[in-house]
Amino acid sequence: MILASATLVLFALAAATLLRGRRRLLALDSTCEAAAREAEAALARLHALTPPLVGLMRAFAPLERDAIDAVAMAHAASRRAPSPQARLLAETRLADAVHRLMTRAEGVGQIKSLADFNVLRQEMAHAELQLADTRRKLSAATEDYNRALGRFPEHLFALRLRLAPRAFYDIGEEMAAIKSPVV
């Protein structure tokens, strides 16, 4: 009788542990999905600011055609990148091209004095910081998820639910953007 009660208690504890592990794994998976959507939205906000910048520069600094075209081409390349790695590379090139263009715009007094340019510059700086923040959250969520896949009992559910490790997003580039955003 006591042995049966002890067995029943152990079985209930094991079942509760397994269920808690499954819920945790599914919650981490959901957190990764939400963080990825948030990062995509932040990236879309930053992308929405690129055409106004190019238009403003074309109107007020036509001599900077090479820098303007570099931004336009990098913007187009990042939109059609075939893989996450290619997209990350294209996004890095776009950020570099935008920073070079903004630096050149600072040298054009007519643009620098425009209220629209100053607002756009501030919006871009804010969007870059927001993107870096969302990517940092995505990286943290991915790390937690991937770590959970290797732990017991989550590992059992990961195999059964066919959950695989997620690609880790390297935020090294984003850390540089946080330290020196477009101002």
Side-chain angles (χ1 to χ4, degrees), residues 1-12:
M1 176 86 154
I2 294 175
L3 184 61
S5 295
T7 304
L8 189 59
V9 167
L10 284 176
F11 181 74

Side-chain angles (χ1 to χ4, degrees), residues 53-103:
L53 173 64
V54 169
L56 192 65
M57 290 298 290
R58 281 194 174 134
F60 290 97
L63 297 177
E64 300 296 340
R65 183 176 179 92
D66 291 342
I68 295 167
D69 290 345
V71 169
M73 289 187 327
H75 183 257
S78 68
R79 302 290 258 178
R80 65 174 188 273
S83 69
Q85 290 78 15
R87 187 168 184 199
L88 181 58
L89 180 61
E91 292 296 334
T92 302
R93 288 181 179 151
L94 175 59
D96 290 343
V98 167
H99 283 279
R100 280 192 304 276
L101 185 59
M102 294 296 271
T103 300

Side-chain angles (χ1 to χ4, degrees), residues 107-155:
V108 179
Q110 187 179 13
I111 291 177
K112 195 174 175 182
S113 65
L114 285 174
D116 288 347
F117 175 73
N118 291 320
V119 168
L120 183 61
R121 182 177 57 187
Q122 289 173 350
E123 287 177 357
M124 290 190 85
H126 179 68
E128 283 181 345
L129 289 174
Q130 223 175 10
L131 178 61
D133 185 51
T134 60
R135 285 182 172 168
R136 215 176 17 263
K137 288 177 185 173
L138 175 58
S139 291
T142 300
E143 185 177 357
D144 290 346
Y145 171 81
N146 287 344
R147 196 176 305 128
L149 288 179
R151 283 193 309 248
F152 180 82
E154 288 95 342
H155 178 71

Side-chain angles (χ1 to χ4, degrees), residues 31-42:
T31 300
C32 285
E33 290 294 324
R37 282 191 304 273
E38 192 177 329
E40 283 298 315

